[in-house]
Amino acid sequence: MESREYKVTGMSCGHCEMSVREEVGEIPGVESIEVSAKEGRLVVSCSESVADNTVIAAVEEAGYSATRG
Amino acid sequence: MESREYKVTGMSCGHCEMSVREEVGEIPGVESIEVSAKEGRLVVSCSESVADNTVIAAVEEAGYSATRG
């Protein structure tokens, strides 16, 4: 289990946070999620087997952009 | 059928617009809805029997504030 931080651009409100939370939460191996629209920040606790690109793709699926940060 | 305009504060994105659209769309007698987060504006086409307070309460239910404007 590890904790990773991503910068996320485009979120503006709690609905946006919820969208990101839902998409990232569907990734197998993701244990917990913190997300802040205000800070443009996503923190994911997950198993080492989860690829960064999988997290980034989930954020994009929700309609936003992410980079490992 | 008449068209009414309301000022809505607090909406920030398309998710917010969707929330307002859903709540206001449940009001019997509402025919069509235009909503803009950017302009803070809601236009409702509805029968004369729909009370302003009903529309305003639906917007509040969605989590925002509205005034007839």
Short mmCIF file of all heavy atoms in Angstrom, two decimals, chain A:
data_model
loop_
_atom_site.label_atom_id
_atom_site.label_comp_id
_atom_site.label_asym_id
_atom_site.label_seq_id
_atom_site.Cartn_x
_atom_site.Cartn_y
_atom_site.Cartn_z
N MET A 1 0.85 -1.20 0.00
CA MET A 1 0.00 0.00 0.00
C MET A 1 0.88 1.25 0.00
O MET A 1 1.84 1.34 0.76
CB MET A 1 -0.90 -0.02 1.25
CG MET A 1 -2.13 0.87 1.19
SD MET A 1 -3.34 0.43 -0.09
CE MET A 1 -3.66 -1.31 0.26
N GLU A 2 0.57 2.19 -0.87
CA GLU A 2 1.32 3.45 -0.90
C GLU A 2 0.38 4.62 -1.12
O GLU A 2 -0.77 4.43 -1.55
CB GLU A 2 2.40 3.41 -1.98
CG GLU A 2 1.88 3.17 -3.38
CD GLU A 2 3.02 3.03 -4.40
OE1 GLU A 2 4.04 2.42 -4.06
OE2 GLU A 2 2.87 3.54 -5.51
N SER A 3 0.87 5.82 -0.83
CA SER A 3 0.06 7.03 -0.99
C SER A 3 0.66 7.86 -2.10
O SER A 3 1.86 8.11 -2.12
CB SER A 3 0.07 7.81 0.33
OG SER A 3 -0.72 8.97 0.19
N ARG A 4 -0.16 8.26 -3.05
CA ARG A 4 0.34 9.04 -4.19
C ARG A 4 -0.48 10.29 -4.36
O ARG A 4 -1.70 10.28 -4.19
CB ARG A 4 0.19 8.24 -5.48
CG ARG A 4 0.99 6.97 -5.46
CD ARG A 4 0.98 6.41 -6.85
NE ARG A 4 1.17 4.98 -6.80
CZ ARG A 4 0.71 4.15 -7.71
NH1 ARG A 4 0.02 4.61 -8.74
NH2 ARG A 4 0.93 2.87 -7.60
N GLU A 5 0.21 11.34 -4.76
CA GLU A 5 -0.49 12.61 -4.96
C GLU A 5 -0.49 13.00 -6.43
O GLU A 5 0.51 12.82 -7.13
CB GLU A 5 0.21 13.70 -4.12
CG GLU A 5 -0.56 14.99 -4.12
CD GLU A 5 -0.02 15.99 -3.11
OE1 GLU A 5 0.56 15.57 -2.08
OE2 GLU A 5 -0.18 17.19 -3.36
N TYR A 6 -1.63 13.51 -6.88
CA TYR A 6 -1.77 13.98 -8.26
C TYR A 6 -2.31 15.40 -8.24
O TYR A 6 -3.13 15.75 -7.38
CB TYR A 6 -2.76 13.09 -9.03
CG TYR A 6 -2.34 11.65 -9.10
CD1 TYR A 6 -2.66 10.78 -8.06
CD2 TYR A 6 -1.63 11.16 -10.18
CE1 TYR A 6 -2.27 9.45 -8.10
CE2 TYR A 6 -1.24 9.83 -10.23
CZ TYR A 6 -1.57 8.98 -9.19
OH TYR A 6 -1.18 7.66 -9.22
N LYS A 7 -1.85 16.18 -9.20
CA LYS A 7 -2.46 17.49 -9.43
C LYS A 7 -3.59 17.31 -10.43
O LYS A 7 -3.40 16.67 -11.47
CB LYS A 7 -1.43 18.47 -10.00
CG LYS A 7 -0.37 18.86 -8.98
CD LYS A 7 0.65 19.80 -9.57
CE LYS A 7 1.77 20.05 -8.57
NZ LYS A 7 2.94 20.69 -9.17
N VAL A 8 -4.73 17.88 -10.12
CA VAL A 8 -5.88 17.73 -11.01
C VAL A 8 -6.38 19.13 -11.39
O VAL A 8 -6.62 19.96 -10.50
CB VAL A 8 -7.03 16.93 -10.33
CG1 VAL A 8 -8.22 16.81 -11.25
CG2 VAL A 8 -6.53 15.56 -9.91
N THR A 9 -6.53 19.37 -12.66
CA THR A 9 -7.05 20.67 -13.10
C THR A 9 -8.47 20.51 -13.64
O THR A 9 -8.81 19.48 -14.22
CB THR A 9 -6.16 21.31 -14.19
OG1 THR A 9 -6.04 20.40 -15.28
CG2 THR A 9 -4.79 21.62 -13.65
N GLY A 10 -9.27 21.53 -13.42
CA GLY A 10 -10.61 21.57 -14.01
C GLY A 10 -11.76 21.35 -13.05
O GLY A 10 -12.90 21.66 -13.37
N MET A 11 -11.46 20.83 -11.85
CA MET A 11 -12.55 20.63 -10.88
C MET A 11 -12.97 21.97 -10.29
O MET A 11 -12.12 22.79 -9.96
CB MET A 11 -12.11 19.72 -9.74
CG MET A 11 -11.77 18.32 -10.12
SD MET A 11 -11.47 17.29 -8.63
CE MET A 11 -10.01 18.08 -7.94
N SER A 12 -14.28 22.18 -10.17
CA SER A 12 -14.72 23.47 -9.62
C SER A 12 -15.61 23.35 -8.39
O SER A 12 -15.84 24.35 -7.73
CB SER A 12 -15.44 24.28 -10.71
OG SER A 12 -16.53 23.56 -11.21
N CYS A 13 -16.12 22.17 -8.09
CA CYS A 13 -17.07 22.08 -6.97
C CYS A 13 -17.15 20.65 -6.44
O CYS A 13 -16.46 19.76 -6.92
CB CYS A 13 -18.45 22.57 -7.41
SG CYS A 13 -19.30 21.41 -8.52
N GLY A 14 -18.00 20.49 -5.46
CA GLY A 14 -18.17 19.18 -4.84
C GLY A 14 -18.66 18.10 -5.80
O GLY A 14 -18.33 16.92 -5.65
N HIS A 15 -19.44 18.51 -6.81
CA HIS A 15 -19.88 17.53 -7.80
C HIS A 15 -18.69 17.00 -8.59
O HIS A 15 -18.63 15.82 -8.93
CB HIS A 15 -20.86 18.16 -8.80
CG HIS A 15 -22.14 18.61 -8.21
ND1 HIS A 15 -22.49 19.93 -8.13
CD2 HIS A 15 -23.18 17.92 -7.67
CE1 HIS A 15 -23.69 20.03 -7.58
NE2 HIS A 15 -24.12 18.84 -7.29
N CYS A 16 -17.76 17.89 -8.90
CA CYS A 16 -16.55 17.50 -9.63
C CYS A 16 -15.73 16.52 -8.79
O CYS A 16 -15.25 15.50 -9.29
CB CYS A 16 -15.71 18.73 -9.96
SG CYS A 16 -16.54 19.94 -11.01
N GLU A 17 -15.59 16.84 -7.50
CA GLU A 17 -14.86 15.94 -6.60
C GLU A 17 -15.50 14.56 -6.59
O GLU A 17 -14.83 13.54 -6.63
CB GLU A 17 -14.86 16.50 -5.17
CG GLU A 17 -14.05 17.77 -5.01
CD GLU A 17 -14.23 18.40 -3.63
OE1 GLU A 17 -15.12 17.96 -2.86
OE2 GLU A 17 -13.46 19.34 -3.31
N MET A 18 -16.83 14.55 -6.56
CA MET A 18 -17.57 13.28 -6.51
C MET A 18 -17.33 12.47 -7.78
O MET A 18 -17.18 11.25 -7.73
CB MET A 18 -19.05 13.58 -6.31
CG MET A 18 -19.85 12.42 -5.77
SD MET A 18 -21.46 13.01 -5.17
CE MET A 18 -22.10 13.86 -6.61
N SER A 19 -17.30 13.16 -8.92
CA SER A 19 -17.06 12.46 -10.20
C SER A 19 -15.69 11.80 -10.21
O SER A 19 -15.55 10.65 -10.62
CB SER A 19 -17.13 13.45 -11.37
OG SER A 19 -18.40 14.01 -11.47
N VAL A 20 -14.68 12.53 -9.74
CA VAL A 20 -13.33 11.98 -9.69
C VAL A 20 -13.28 10.81 -8.71
O VAL A 20 -12.74 9.74 -9.01
CB VAL A 20 -12.31 13.07 -9.28
CG1 VAL A 20 -10.94 12.47 -8.97
CG2 VAL A 20 -12.18 14.11 -10.39
N ARG A 21 -13.89 11.02 -7.55
CA ARG A 21 -13.92 9.97 -6.53
C ARG A 21 -14.54 8.68 -7.07
O ARG A 21 -14.04 7.57 -6.85
CB ARG A 21 -14.69 10.47 -5.31
CG ARG A 21 -14.77 9.51 -4.15
CD ARG A 21 -15.50 10.15 -2.98
NE ARG A 21 -14.72 11.19 -2.36
CZ ARG A 21 -13.74 10.97 -1.47
NH1 ARG A 21 -13.48 9.73 -1.09
NH2 ARG A 21 -13.08 11.96 -0.94
N GLU A 22 -15.63 8.83 -7.79
CA GLU A 22 -16.32 7.65 -8.33
C GLU A 22 -15.45 6.90 -9.34
O GLU A 22 -15.35 5.67 -9.28
CB GLU A 22 -17.64 8.06 -9.00
CG GLU A 22 -18.75 8.31 -8.00
CD GLU A 22 -20.03 8.84 -8.65
OE1 GLU A 22 -20.09 8.89 -9.90
OE2 GLU A 22 -20.95 9.21 -7.90
N GLU A 23 -14.86 7.64 -10.27
CA GLU A 23 -14.06 6.97 -11.31
C GLU A 23 -12.81 6.32 -10.72
O GLU A 23 -12.51 5.17 -11.03
CB GLU A 23 -13.66 7.97 -12.41
CG GLU A 23 -14.81 8.40 -13.31
CD GLU A 23 -15.37 7.27 -14.16
OE1 GLU A 23 -14.65 6.30 -14.44
OE2 GLU A 23 -16.55 7.37 -14.55
N VAL A 24 -12.10 7.05 -9.89
CA VAL A 24 -10.86 6.51 -9.31
C VAL A 24 -11.19 5.35 -8.35
O VAL A 24 -10.44 4.38 -8.27
CB VAL A 24 -10.05 7.63 -8.61
CG1 VAL A 24 -8.82 7.07 -7.90
CG2 VAL A 24 -9.63 8.69 -9.62
N GLY A 25 -12.33 5.46 -7.69
CA GLY A 25 -12.75 4.42 -6.76
C GLY A 25 -13.05 3.08 -7.41
O GLY A 25 -13.08 2.04 -6.75
N GLU A 26 -13.26 3.10 -8.71
CA GLU A 26 -13.54 1.84 -9.43
C GLU A 26 -12.28 1.05 -9.78
O GLU A 26 -12.36 -0.08 -10.24
CB GLU A 26 -14.31 2.14 -10.73
CG GLU A 26 -15.76 2.54 -10.48
CD GLU A 26 -16.48 2.95 -11.76
OE1 GLU A 26 -15.86 2.86 -12.85
OE2 GLU A 26 -17.65 3.36 -11.66
N ILE A 27 -11.11 1.65 -9.57
CA ILE A 27 -9.85 0.97 -9.92
C ILE A 27 -9.54 -0.10 -8.87
O ILE A 27 -9.47 0.20 -7.68
CB ILE A 27 -8.68 1.98 -9.98
CG1 ILE A 27 -8.95 3.06 -11.02
CG2 ILE A 27 -7.37 1.26 -10.27
CD1 ILE A 27 -7.96 4.24 -10.96
N PRO A 28 -9.37 -1.34 -9.30
CA PRO A 28 -9.00 -2.40 -8.35
C PRO A 28 -7.66 -2.07 -7.70
O PRO A 28 -6.71 -1.66 -8.39
CB PRO A 28 -8.87 -3.65 -9.23
CG PRO A 28 -9.66 -3.35 -10.46
CD PRO A 28 -9.52 -1.87 -10.68
N GLY A 29 -7.60 -2.19 -6.39
CA GLY A 29 -6.35 -1.91 -5.67
C GLY A 29 -6.34 -0.54 -5.01
O GLY A 29 -5.43 -0.25 -4.23
N VAL A 30 -7.33 0.29 -5.35
CA VAL A 30 -7.43 1.60 -4.69
C VAL A 30 -8.15 1.43 -3.35
O VAL A 30 -9.25 0.87 -3.30
CB VAL A 30 -8.15 2.64 -5.57
CG1 VAL A 30 -8.53 3.88 -4.76
CG2 VAL A 30 -7.26 3.04 -6.75
N GLU A 31 -7.50 1.89 -2.30
CA GLU A 31 -8.02 1.68 -0.94
C GLU A 31 -8.77 2.91 -0.44
O GLU A 31 -9.85 2.79 0.12
CB GLU A 31 -6.83 1.39 -0.01
CG GLU A 31 -7.20 0.97 1.39
CD GLU A 31 -7.63 -0.49 1.45
OE1 GLU A 31 -7.48 -1.19 0.44
OE2 GLU A 31 -8.09 -0.89 2.51
N SER A 32 -8.18 4.09 -0.64
CA SER A 32 -8.86 5.31 -0.19
C SER A 32 -8.47 6.50 -1.05
O SER A 32 -7.43 6.47 -1.73
CB SER A 32 -8.58 5.59 1.29
OG SER A 32 -7.27 6.09 1.43
N ILE A 33 -9.32 7.50 -1.03
CA ILE A 33 -9.19 8.65 -1.92
C ILE A 33 -9.48 9.92 -1.15
O ILE A 33 -10.47 9.99 -0.43
CB ILE A 33 -10.22 8.55 -3.08
CG1 ILE A 33 -9.99 7.27 -3.89
CG2 ILE A 33 -10.17 9.78 -3.97
CD1 ILE A 33 -11.16 6.93 -4.80
N GLU A 34 -8.60 10.92 -1.30
CA GLU A 34 -8.91 12.28 -0.85
C GLU A 34 -8.87 13.16 -2.07
O GLU A 34 -7.92 13.08 -2.85
CB GLU A 34 -7.86 12.80 0.12
CG GLU A 34 -7.86 12.16 1.49
CD GLU A 34 -6.61 12.60 2.26
OE1 GLU A 34 -6.38 13.82 2.35
OE2 GLU A 34 -5.88 11.73 2.72
N VAL A 35 -9.86 14.02 -2.22
CA VAL A 35 -9.87 14.88 -3.40
C VAL A 35 -10.38 16.27 -3.03
O VAL A 35 -11.32 16.40 -2.24
CB VAL A 35 -10.70 14.23 -4.55
CG1 VAL A 35 -12.13 13.99 -4.13
CG2 VAL A 35 -10.63 15.06 -5.82
N SER A 36 -9.68 17.28 -3.53
CA SER A 36 -10.06 18.66 -3.23
C SER A 36 -10.09 19.49 -4.51
O SER A 36 -9.06 19.66 -5.18
CB SER A 36 -9.03 19.27 -2.26
OG SER A 36 -9.20 20.67 -2.22
N ALA A 37 -11.28 19.98 -4.84
CA ALA A 37 -11.42 20.84 -6.02
C ALA A 37 -10.67 22.14 -5.78
O ALA A 37 -9.99 22.66 -6.67
CB ALA A 37 -12.90 21.13 -6.28
N LYS A 38 -10.78 22.64 -4.55
CA LYS A 38 -10.16 23.92 -4.21
C LYS A 38 -8.64 23.87 -4.38
O LYS A 38 -8.03 24.80 -4.92
CB LYS A 38 -10.51 24.26 -2.75
CG LYS A 38 -10.21 25.68 -2.36
CD LYS A 38 -10.67 25.93 -0.91
CE LYS A 38 -10.22 27.30 -0.43
NZ LYS A 38 -10.48 27.45 1.02
N GLU A 39 -8.05 22.79 -3.93
CA GLU A 39 -6.59 22.66 -4.00
C GLU A 39 -6.13 22.00 -5.30
O GLU A 39 -4.93 21.94 -5.55
CB GLU A 39 -6.09 21.84 -2.81
CG GLU A 39 -6.38 22.48 -1.46
CD GLU A 39 -6.08 21.54 -0.29
OE1 GLU A 39 -5.34 20.56 -0.46
OE2 GLU A 39 -6.62 21.79 0.81
N GLY A 40 -7.07 21.48 -6.09
CA GLY A 40 -6.69 20.80 -7.33
C GLY A 40 -5.81 19.59 -7.05
O GLY A 40 -4.80 19.37 -7.71
N ARG A 41 -6.23 18.81 -6.09
CA ARG A 41 -5.36 17.78 -5.53
C ARG A 41 -6.12 16.48 -5.32
O ARG A 41 -7.27 16.48 -4.87
CB ARG A 41 -4.85 18.32 -4.18
CG ARG A 41 -3.79 17.53 -3.49
CD ARG A 41 -3.19 18.43 -2.41
NE ARG A 41 -2.40 17.68 -1.45
CZ ARG A 41 -2.90 17.13 -0.34
NH1 ARG A 41 -4.16 17.25 -0.05
NH2 ARG A 41 -2.10 16.46 0.48
N LEU A 42 -5.44 15.39 -5.64
CA LEU A 42 -6.00 14.06 -5.44
C LEU A 42 -4.94 13.22 -4.73
O LEU A 42 -3.79 13.18 -5.17
CB LEU A 42 -6.33 13.43 -6.80
CG LEU A 42 -6.64 11.94 -6.86
CD1 LEU A 42 -7.96 11.63 -6.15
CD2 LEU A 42 -6.69 11.46 -8.31
N VAL A 43 -5.31 12.58 -3.63
CA VAL A 43 -4.39 11.68 -2.94
C VAL A 43 -5.04 10.29 -2.93
O VAL A 43 -6.18 10.13 -2.49
CB VAL A 43 -4.07 12.15 -1.51
CG1 VAL A 43 -3.12 11.17 -0.83
CG2 VAL A 43 -3.48 13.55 -1.52
N VAL A 44 -4.30 9.34 -3.45
CA VAL A 44 -4.82 7.98 -3.57
C VAL A 44 -3.95 7.03 -2.77
O VAL A 44 -2.73 7.02 -2.93
CB VAL A 44 -4.81 7.54 -5.07
CG1 VAL A 44 -5.31 6.12 -5.21
CG2 VAL A 44 -5.65 8.49 -5.91
N SER A 45 -4.58 6.26 -1.90
CA SER A 45 -3.87 5.16 -1.24
C SER A 45 -4.20 3.89 -2.01
O SER A 45 -5.39 3.57 -2.19
CB SER A 45 -4.31 5.01 0.21
OG SER A 45 -3.91 6.13 0.95
N CYS A 46 -3.19 3.21 -2.48
CA CYS A 46 -3.45 2.06 -3.34
C CYS A 46 -2.31 1.06 -3.26
O CYS A 46 -1.23 1.35 -2.73
CB CYS A 46 -3.64 2.52 -4.78
SG CYS A 46 -2.22 3.39 -5.47
N SER A 47 -2.54 -0.12 -3.81
CA SER A 47 -1.47 -1.12 -3.86
C SER A 47 -0.46 -0.71 -4.93
O SER A 47 -0.79 0.06 -5.86
CB SER A 47 -2.05 -2.50 -4.17
OG SER A 47 -2.47 -2.55 -5.51
N GLU A 48 0.75 -1.20 -4.79
CA GLU A 48 1.83 -0.86 -5.72
C GLU A 48 1.48 -1.26 -7.15
O GLU A 48 2.06 -0.75 -8.11
CB GLU A 48 3.15 -1.55 -5.30
CG GLU A 48 3.79 -0.97 -4.04
CD GLU A 48 3.12 -1.42 -2.73
OE1 GLU A 48 2.09 -2.14 -2.79
OE2 GLU A 48 3.60 -1.04 -1.66
N SER A 49 0.58 -2.20 -7.32
CA SER A 49 0.24 -2.71 -8.65
C SER A 49 -0.58 -1.73 -9.49
O SER A 49 -0.76 -1.93 -10.68
CB SER A 49 -0.53 -4.03 -8.53
OG SER A 49 -1.77 -3.79 -7.88
N VAL A 50 -1.11 -0.68 -8.86
CA VAL A 50 -1.92 0.29 -9.60
C VAL A 50 -0.99 1.23 -10.38
O VAL A 50 -0.14 1.89 -9.78
CB VAL A 50 -2.83 1.10 -8.65
CG1 VAL A 50 -3.57 2.20 -9.41
CG2 VAL A 50 -3.82 0.19 -7.94
N ALA A 51 -1.15 1.27 -11.69
CA ALA A 51 -0.29 2.13 -12.52
C ALA A 51 -0.77 3.58 -12.45
O ALA A 51 -1.97 3.84 -12.39
CB ALA A 51 -0.32 1.65 -13.97
N ASP A 52 0.20 4.48 -12.47
CA ASP A 52 -0.13 5.92 -12.53
C ASP A 52 -1.08 6.22 -13.69
O ASP A 52 -2.03 6.99 -13.54
CB ASP A 52 1.15 6.74 -12.75
CG ASP A 52 1.74 7.21 -11.43
OD1 ASP A 52 1.05 7.16 -10.40
OD2 ASP A 52 2.91 7.62 -11.45
N ASN A 53 -0.80 5.62 -14.82
CA ASN A 53 -1.62 5.89 -15.99
C ASN A 53 -3.07 5.47 -15.82
O ASN A 53 -3.97 6.05 -16.41
CB ASN A 53 -1.04 5.20 -17.24
CG ASN A 53 0.13 5.99 -17.79
OD1 ASN A 53 0.35 7.15 -17.40
ND2 ASN A 53 0.88 5.38 -18.71
N THR A 54 -3.28 4.47 -15.00
CA THR A 54 -4.65 4.02 -14.73
C THR A 54 -5.40 5.07 -13.92
O THR A 54 -6.57 5.37 -14.20
CB THR A 54 -4.62 2.68 -13.96
OG1 THR A 54 -3.86 1.74 -14.72
CG2 THR A 54 -6.02 2.14 -13.74
N VAL A 55 -4.70 5.66 -12.95
CA VAL A 55 -5.32 6.72 -12.15
C VAL A 55 -5.60 7.95 -13.02
O VAL A 55 -6.69 8.52 -12.99
CB VAL A 55 -4.42 7.10 -10.95
CG1 VAL A 55 -5.02 8.27 -10.17
CG2 VAL A 55 -4.20 5.89 -10.04
N ILE A 56 -4.60 8.31 -13.82
CA ILE A 56 -4.73 9.49 -14.69
C ILE A 56 -5.87 9.29 -15.70
O ILE A 56 -6.66 10.20 -15.95
CB ILE A 56 -3.38 9.79 -15.37
CG1 ILE A 56 -2.39 10.32 -14.32
CG2 ILE A 56 -3.54 10.76 -16.53
CD1 ILE A 56 -0.94 10.36 -14.78
N ALA A 57 -5.98 8.08 -16.23
CA ALA A 57 -7.05 7.79 -17.19
C ALA A 57 -8.42 7.89 -16.52
O ALA A 57 -9.40 8.35 -17.13
CB ALA A 57 -6.86 6.40 -17.80
N ALA A 58 -8.51 7.47 -15.26
CA ALA A 58 -9.79 7.54 -14.53
C ALA A 58 -10.19 8.99 -14.31
O ALA A 58 -11.36 9.36 -14.45
CB ALA A 58 -9.68 6.80 -13.20
N VAL A 59 -9.22 9.83 -13.99
CA VAL A 59 -9.50 11.26 -13.80
C VAL A 59 -9.98 11.86 -15.13
O VAL A 59 -10.94 12.64 -15.16
CB VAL A 59 -8.26 12.01 -13.27
CG1 VAL A 59 -8.50 13.52 -13.24
CG2 VAL A 59 -7.90 11.52 -11.87
N GLU A 60 -9.33 11.46 -16.21
CA GLU A 60 -9.73 11.98 -17.53
C GLU A 60 -11.13 11.48 -17.91
O GLU A 60 -11.92 12.21 -18.51
CB GLU A 60 -8.70 11.59 -18.58
CG GLU A 60 -7.42 12.42 -18.41
CD GLU A 60 -6.28 12.01 -19.33
OE1 GLU A 60 -6.40 11.00 -20.05
OE2 GLU A 60 -5.25 12.72 -19.32
N GLU A 61 -11.42 10.27 -17.53
CA GLU A 61 -12.77 9.71 -17.77
C GLU A 61 -13.82 10.57 -17.06
O GLU A 61 -14.93 10.76 -17.57
CB GLU A 61 -12.81 8.26 -17.25
CG GLU A 61 -14.08 7.50 -17.53
CD GLU A 61 -14.31 7.28 -19.02
OE1 GLU A 61 -13.35 7.18 -19.79
OE2 GLU A 61 -15.50 7.21 -19.41
N ALA A 62 -13.48 11.08 -15.90
CA ALA A 62 -14.39 11.95 -15.14
C ALA A 62 -14.50 13.34 -15.76
O ALA A 62 -15.39 14.12 -15.42
CB ALA A 62 -13.94 12.05 -13.69
N GLY A 63 -13.55 13.67 -16.66
CA GLY A 63 -13.63 14.95 -17.36
C GLY A 63 -12.58 15.98 -16.96
O GLY A 63 -12.71 17.16 -17.29
N TYR A 64 -11.51 15.53 -16.28
CA TYR A 64 -10.49 16.45 -15.80
C TYR A 64 -9.11 15.96 -16.21
O TYR A 64 -8.97 14.91 -16.81
CB TYR A 64 -10.60 16.60 -14.26
CG TYR A 64 -12.01 16.90 -13.87
CD1 TYR A 64 -12.88 15.89 -13.47
CD2 TYR A 64 -12.53 18.19 -14.01
CE1 TYR A 64 -14.21 16.15 -13.19
CE2 TYR A 64 -13.85 18.46 -13.72
CZ TYR A 64 -14.69 17.44 -13.32
OH TYR A 64 -15.99 17.70 -13.06
N SER A 65 -8.08 16.76 -15.90
CA SER A 65 -6.71 16.38 -16.24
C SER A 65 -5.89 16.18 -14.97
O SER A 65 -6.03 16.95 -14.02
CB SER A 65 -6.05 17.48 -17.07
OG SER A 65 -6.71 17.60 -18.31
N ALA A 66 -5.05 15.16 -14.99
CA ALA A 66 -4.21 14.89 -13.82
C ALA A 66 -2.78 14.66 -14.23
O ALA A 66 -2.49 14.16 -15.32
CB ALA A 66 -4.73 13.65 -13.08
N THR A 67 -1.86 15.05 -13.33
CA THR A 67 -0.44 14.69 -13.46
C THR A 67 0.04 14.25 -12.09
O THR A 67 -0.45 14.74 -11.06
CB THR A 67 0.43 15.88 -13.93
OG1 THR A 67 0.20 17.00 -13.06
CG2 THR A 67 0.10 16.30 -15.35
N ARG A 68 0.96 13.32 -12.07
CA ARG A 68 1.56 12.92 -10.81
C ARG A 68 2.30 14.11 -10.24
O ARG A 68 3.06 14.76 -10.96
CB ARG A 68 2.52 11.73 -11.05
CG ARG A 68 3.19 11.18 -9.81
CD ARG A 68 2.23 10.29 -9.03
NE ARG A 68 2.82 9.82 -7.79
CZ ARG A 68 3.38 8.64 -7.62
NH1 ARG A 68 3.43 7.78 -8.62
NH2 ARG A 68 3.87 8.28 -6.46
N GLY A 69 2.03 14.46 -8.98
CA GLY A 69 2.65 15.68 -8.44
C GLY A 69 3.02 15.53 -6.99
O GLY A 69 2.59 14.64 -6.33
#
